[in-house]
Amino acid sequence: MKILVAIKQVPAHDSRLFIEPTGEWIEENDLGYEVNEPDAYALEAALQLREQHGGEVIVMCAGPARVSSTIREALAKGADRALHIEEDDLRHWDNLSVAQLLAKAAQTEQPDLVLTGLQSDDLGFGQTGVIMAELMGLPHATLAMSVEVVDGRLRVKCELEGGWFQYVSMPLPALVTIQSGILRLRYATLMGIKRAKTKEVRKITPAELGAAGEPGITLRRIYAPHSLKQTQMLAGSVQEQAAQLVEKLKHEVRVI
Amino acid sequence: MTQTITAGQLLNERDITFMLYEWLGAQDLCARPQFAEHSRETFDAALEIYSRIAIDLFAPHNKKGDQTEPRIENGMVSVIPEVAVALAAFCEAGLMAAAQAPAHGGMGLPVLVERAGFAWLMAANPATAGFALLTIANVNLLLANGSPEQIEDYVGPMLTGRCFGTMCLSETQAGSSLGDIATRAEPRPDGSHRLFGTKMWISAGDHEVAENIVHLVLARMRDAPLGARGLSLFLVPKRLPGSASDGGERNDVSVAGLNHKMGFRGIPNTVLVFGDGSWQPFGEPGAIGYLVGQPGQGLPCMFHMMNEARISVGLGATAIGYAGYRHALDYARQRAQGRAIGNKNPSSRPVPIIEHADVKRMLLAQKAYVEGALALCLYCARLVDEERTAETTGERHTASRLLGILTPIVKSWPSQWCLEANNLAIQVHGGYGYTRDYNVEQFYRDNRLNAIHEGTHGIQAIDFVGRQLSLHGGAALGSLLDRMRQTASAASGIGTARLAEFAVALSGVIERLTHVAAKLVSQPEPAISLANATPVLEAFGHAVIAWIWLDQATAIGAAGRESADDFYRGKLQACQYFFRWELPRVGALIDAVERGDATVAAMTETWF
């Protein structure tokens, strides 16, 4: 089985983020980067499926030269080869155009299964995988807690709300977006790092894929939310104050 | 309350990157045949594994290990299960063998990169890292001194985590005074020995983290002379090879008790008894041991491990100090209290305490201490690589001499000043820092050990003054002072007023220390030299850290990066702090030494 895993490099989760003077993006110079967490679980799921059923795992990552460290880490963990879509500035690509880019790149591999993380830790749209599936004409499942291959079909356990789950059976090829925390992640090994040096990393550009990256949305400004402390004194009897408090918690703060 | 630890609360990845690649030229090592298969990419990937495992598996149980001390159950020591999980991941990733040659299943990483990676583990959980640290040192000792059979039987299992190691030197009556060791080794017909005696302060002396434990034990063979020259080194496994179906017959090594420590509580510290008959291998009492190296060469063999351990102690002290600094920095940025100076409006928003002058001072002092100490530790690691792989014999000898004279400093300076950094980290936290809810109080307790174990602060001072200053006719000292002069000269050549000021200051200190060293070496009263040894060690330590800071600042200046971004501005400001507020301490330390002051030497026991 040929499994393609779309991974994304995102700022390390403990980074201190500063906004560029233009207000359009964050300062990237001094940032540390890491693999998007749900994508790490997608890779782990792919590696475990390969261990059970054979085949190969290909990782696909779009971004500038710095994403090669994330690609190398995936190869060191056991992916067989990689596809690096070279694009220096993805900030103006909206989720539709990114999905189009990834879908076109994925189609060059004709995979049996495409896995992506549920969403990215930086932008958090949660749409890329789903749009990719539509563009590729693949059946898909989201919020996957487990993925099995049973009698040539996929059996996917999906998370619903309120502690409910749903089992979905679908034919291959297919696309599944993976939830975080579903497996125990493996670490790269030093021997894996050595082996990764000789693994193929195919480089391709958006132009070669015929993907334009025309933005469908315009990013005008990013800003840190302001935290405000507003104290309100409630008047009246204890019962009246309690009633007012409940009213505010229900309709203003919306926590009950 | 348990705090979740992030990478940025332990070490600064950017700082490590700077030291490795912009200052120490780690990438240049790849031009050497020993490291030809590496590149910066593989170094970075290896460092990433260290930091990930440190954050995911070592840091989360640091506090639990502190609060749940090892226990003796049915004669065996148990530790919390997270220790075994973390160490298993460490070994599975190949990190135990990271710096070993590929012939031994290793990655062949430079020691510089391996130590930089190991710093993450020490910052995350020094107690659990201690298991690995001792084992790596045992492996290096056996590879240098063991027989081919010993290497085959034990090095492989240690590198894969099936077996861990200890070093057994001290006894209850012989701690710093190793010449008084009384453990004896009686010969057996097959060439092995039976050992009888008690060893004290044995870290990781017993546990069930791995299948076996290898104790490297100093003991006295029959008819051996008194004193240190009569000591031989023995390999004593907890379980003997191939003698029982369940993984080996138990050797006659038993745990007499656990020491209950101030810090480093996650790693058991044991009193081990060899040969009391608790177990009777081959039907008799006596712990079976195998001679390592030559008879009477136990101490030189052990000091192969001890010198390495001393550098690692310095690195451990640095890592704990660094973690405290990063915790304090994080706290000071988030904790809002008080108003900016001049703001008299009580209803205005309080400012983060990092904006208060004294908090800023405490953070800058910590930064100067811990980043200076880390730089020294990594400089020494680079010297180990030079000692092993430099192109010419002369370069290797120079590296070896520099490493020798810097060893007491790299052990003692971080143990003293990174502990002070931990002290300041508590102070930044205020009352919260004094509670067990916050991590910094544990850091202080953990770090307090480092000035004691693997040769106390005083022993380092005696070694430095009594041995290192005059070693090779003073050539080691000469090499060190030459390097310091070269840095001062290079700093002057950068052409900035700030670096020129530091170069002048360092040059002045170098000349004073040169004079002091000459005076000490020719001192007719050794009692006075020894009484004043600690201030001398501390003075040299401060001068060395100033030199290391200036060397980094010079690298920044040479690359034209003084104002490239806040990282470099911060580096240079910390360098400036060290030169203006710390280096002047050297004069106070050596004024009395220069006069040959005998106040301490003349003090007698009854006057106290």
Side-chain angles (χ1 to χ4, degrees):
Chain A
M1 185 161 64
K2 184 193 270 191
I3 308 171
L4 183 75
V5 186
I7 60 176
K8 181 179 184 182
Q9 188 185 60
V10 295
H13 64 279
D14 62 339
S15 299
R16 295 184 74 213
L17 300 178
F18 297 98
I19 295 169
E20 281 183 346
T22 61
E24 291 183 1
W25 200 244
I26 53 171
E27 296 271 12
E28 292 189 344
N29 284 342
D30 205 17
L31 273 185
Y33 288 90
E34 63 189 12
V35 68
N36 179 44
E37 188 182 15
D39 297 348
Y41 285 92
L43 174 62
E44 182 61 42
L47 294 172
Q48 293 192 14
L49 283 170
R50 185 193 62 188
E51 284 158 7
Q52 292 158 18
H53 302 286
E56 68 171 340
V57 172
I58 306 153
V59 290
M60 172 173 73
C61 187
R66 64 172 154 75
V67 306
S68 65
S69 63
T70 295
I71 290 174
R72 287 286 166 202
E73 186 188 351
L75 294 172
K77 283 186 172 183
D80 298 285
R81 58 191 175 87
L83 187 56
H84 178 182
I85 306 164
E86 293 181 300
E87 171 54 48
D88 283 343
D89 189 2
L90 279 168
R91 74 174 77 177
H92 296 302
W93 291 59
D94 59 42
N95 31 20
L96 172 61
S97 52
V98 168
Q100 286 171 331
L101 178 68
L102 296 177
K104 287 190 174 184
Q107 280 161 341
T108 67
E109 290 287 347
Q110 294 294 312
D112 300 306
L113 176 62
V114 179
L115 298 181
T116 73
L118 164 73
Q119 62 184 20
S120 59
D121 290 340
D122 54 356
L123 297 178
F125 288 128
Q127 296 180 15
T128 306
V130 180
I131 300 174
M132 271 180 78
E134 288 300 316
L135 293 170
M136 294 173 74
L138 298 177
H140 69 270
T142 59
L143 272 166
M145 302 293 290
S146 71
V147 183
E148 298 171 276
V149 177
V150 181
D151 299 330
R153 291 174 63 87
L154 276 189
R155 186 168 186 266
V156 184
K157 179 184 178 183
C158 299
E159 184 180 21
L160 302 179
E161 290 190 0
W164 288 80
F165 299 100
Q166 174 188 48
Y167 283 92
V168 179
S169 175
M170 63 178 67
L172 290 168
L175 186 148
V176 179
T177 68
I178 303 290
Q179 173 66 293
S180 282
I182 63 168
L183 298 162
R184 181 168 173 252
L185 295 179
R186 71 191 66 196
Y187 293 96
T189 67
L190 294 183
M191 291 312 290
I193 292 170
K194 246 181 180 177
R195 283 194 283 269
K197 290 185 76 174
T198 58
K199 290 180 177 176
E200 178 198 355
V201 180
R202 182 161 66 92
K203 300 195 176 194
I204 194 162
T205 63
E208 288 166 336
L209 291 166
E214 289 295 328
I217 57 173
T218 304
L219 182 64
R220 293 188 185 280
R221 183 171 73 95
I222 59 172
Y223 59 94
H226 296 290
S227 60
L228 293 173
K229 190 162 77 175
Q230 292 179 320
T231 306
Q232 292 183 29
M233 303 303 290
L234 302 178
S237 66
V238 172
Q239 287 78 7
E240 287 167 342
Q241 288 179 36
Q244 290 176 58
L245 181 60
V246 169
E247 187 71 11
K248 286 178 182 297
L249 291 174
K250 268 186 182 170
H251 299 295
E252 289 183 26
V253 192
R254 295 179 183 176
V255 294
I256 59 174
Chain B
M1 186 174 77
T2 301
Q3 292 173 277
T4 304
I5 305 291
T6 63
Q9 286 176 311
L10 297 179
L11 300 174
N12 180 359
E13 194 177 333
R14 174 82 188 271
D15 196 24
I16 294 173
T17 301
F18 163 76
M19 289 184 195
L20 291 186
Y21 302 116
E22 296 175 49
W23 179 49
L24 293 172
Q27 65 278 21
D28 300 340
L29 289 168
C30 302
R32 297 182 182 173
Q34 295 88 341
F35 307 120
E37 65 176 331
H38 292 300
S39 61
R40 176 168 175 174
E41 201 172 51
T42 56
F43 293 164
D44 286 343
L47 291 168
E48 176 74 15
I49 298 177
Y50 279 104
S51 65
R52 282 275 168 89
I53 290 180
I55 298 300
D56 292 351
L57 297 176
F58 277 65
H61 70 275
N62 192 32
K63 188 173 275 293
K64 183 179 176 186
D66 182 62
Q67 293 171 338
T68 318
E69 284 191 80
R71 298 185 310 275
I72 298 180
E73 291 172 347
N74 302 320
M76 290 192 296
V77 177
S78 69
V79 297
I80 58 172
E82 289 88 342
V83 174
V85 172
L87 290 170
F90 173 83
C91 295
E92 282 165 20
L95 301 183
M96 194 76 94
Q100 300 301 336
H104 297 296
M107 175 80 165
L109 280 178
V111 172
L112 170 61
V113 177
E114 190 261 354
R115 290 289 92 179
F118 206 87
W120 283 102
L121 305 174
M122 291 167 142
N125 190 327
T128 299
F131 288 83
L133 189 72
L134 285 162
T135 306
I136 291 169
N138 274 26
V139 165
N140 289 337
L141 185 147
L142 285 178
L143 287 173
N145 301 290
S147 68
E149 295 76 22
Q150 290 168 344
I151 291 171
E152 187 177 337
D153 290 346
Y154 293 102
V155 167
M158 282 200 271
L159 292 179
T160 52
R162 287 171 48 214
C163 182
F164 280 78
T166 75
M167 50 199 295
C168 302
L169 289 82
S170 297
E171 298 178 0
T172 47
Q173 82 293 350
S176 296
S177 176
L178 295 174
D180 293 331
I181 281 175
T183 297
R184 59 192 170 85
E186 299 292 339
R188 297 179 71 221
D190 67 354
S192 64
H193 290 74
R194 282 194 188 268
L195 272 67
F196 301 88
T198 301
K199 292 289 179 181
M200 186 66 172
W201 312 120
I202 310 307
S203 288
D206 193 53
H207 52 79
E208 291 298 313
V209 168
E211 295 169 18
N212 207 354
I213 301 171
V214 167
H215 305 288
L216 291 175
V217 186
L218 280 181
R220 203 174 293 282
M221 292 168 78
R222 189 183 289 173
D223 301 326
L226 294 174
R229 291 180 185 203
L231 297 175
S232 301
L233 183 64
F234 294 88
L235 186 159
V236 183
K238 176 181 175 181
R239 291 188 173 87
L240 294 163
S243 51
S245 57
D246 61 351
E249 184 179 351
R250 271 297 300 265
N251 205 351
D252 192 7
V253 185
S254 57
V255 183
L258 290 170
N259 294 307
H260 300 286
K261 296 171 288 178
M262 174 182 179
F264 264 85
R265 291 177 176 171
I267 185 168
N269 189 270
T270 57
V271 185
L272 288 185
V273 180
F274 294 81
D276 70 347
S278 296
W279 305 85
Q280 303 215 346
F282 305 112
E284 287 179 44
I288 292 178
Y290 309 97
L291 182 68
V292 178
Q294 297 301 310
Q297 291 296 304
L299 217 48
C301 285
M302 191 57 104
F303 268 81
H304 184 276
M305 182 158 89
M306 183 59 83
N307 282 334
E308 182 187 334
R310 285 176 177 170
I311 297 172
S312 296
V313 168
L315 184 64
T318 300
I320 302 170
Y322 212 123
Y325 159 57
R326 298 295 292 185
H327 272 65
L329 180 61
D330 198 40
Y331 183 82
R333 280 174 168 154
Q334 293 180 32
R335 169 73 169 160
Q337 192 170 207
R339 273 91 192 157
I341 192 164
N343 180 355
K344 306 293 185 195
N345 178 6
S347 65
S348 62
R349 291 168 67 86
V351 296
I353 61 171
I354 196 170
E355 294 182 23
H356 299 312
D358 194 54
V359 173
K360 209 159 56 175
R361 177 193 64 80
M362 290 190 284
L363 290 168
L364 186 52
Q366 288 173 72
K367 181 177 169 70
Y369 299 153
V370 305
E371 293 182 9
L374 181 62
L376 174 62
C377 293
L378 295 182
Y379 186 89
C380 286
R382 182 72 159 83
L383 285 177
V384 176
D385 289 321
E386 286 298 304
E387 191 182 27
R388 294 178 183 172
T389 67
E391 200 172 333
T392 68
T393 312
E395 287 169 327
R396 290 197 290 273
H397 279 168
T398 301
S400 185
R401 285 175 178 172
L402 279 169
L403 195 56
I405 197 165
L406 285 172
T407 294
I409 294 172
V410 75
K411 196 275 179 186
S412 64
W413 199 91
S415 300
Q416 182 177 8
W417 290 98
C418 293
L419 179 71
E420 176 57 19
N422 286 133
N423 181 31
L424 291 170
I426 292 173
Q427 198 68 21
V428 169
H429 281 72
Y432 293 109
Y434 194 62
T435 68
R436 290 196 296 274
D437 292 337
Y438 285 77
N439 294 326
V440 286
E441 64 85 27
Q442 184 191 343
F443 295 160
Y444 185 86
R445 287 185 290 104
D446 285 348
N447 217 351
R448 186 60 189 85
L449 173 65
N450 287 312
I452 299 171
H453 68 160
E454 320 308 353
T456 62
H457 200 66
I459 289 289
Q460 303 308 314
I462 291 170
D463 176 45
F464 187 75
V465 171
R467 186 165 169 267
Q468 299 293 345
L469 287 182
S470 56
L471 203 61
H472 311 298
L477 177 65
S479 296
L480 176 62
L481 296 174
D482 282 349
R483 287 272 170 115
M484 293 168 76
R485 288 190 187 98
Q486 285 164 16
T487 296
S489 170
S492 302
I494 296 295
T496 66
R498 184 150 70 161
L499 291 194
E501 173 200 324
F502 303 158
V504 168
L506 183 62
S507 298
V509 166
I510 292 168
E511 295 323 307
R512 283 202 71 186
L513 290 178
T514 305
H515 180 246
V516 166
K519 189 156 186 173
L520 285 167
V521 168
S522 59
Q523 167 65 255
E525 294 288 340
I528 294 176
S529 295
L530 290 179
N532 296 341
T534 294
V536 173
L537 176 71
E538 292 176 1
F540 270 88
H542 252 52
V544 162
I545 295 295
W547 158 56
I548 289 287
W549 264 116
L550 186 56
D551 210 53
Q552 294 177 86
T554 304
I556 293 169
R561 291 181 178 142
E562 294 97 327
S563 301
D565 63 26
D566 284 346
F567 172 81
Y568 298 111
R569 292 187 196 100
K571 271 285 184 207
L572 293 173
Q573 201 71 6
C575 178
Q576 179 170 312
Y577 177 86
F578 200 88
F579 269 85
R580 293 189 181 169
W581 289 93
E582 294 292 336
L583 191 60
R585 291 179 195 262
V586 172
L589 284 165
I590 59 174
D591 280 348
V593 177
E594 269 187 318
R595 291 194 305 270
D597 185 76
T599 303
V600 175
M603 186 71 181
T604 68
E605 185 267 333
T606 54
W607 296 355
F608 284 102

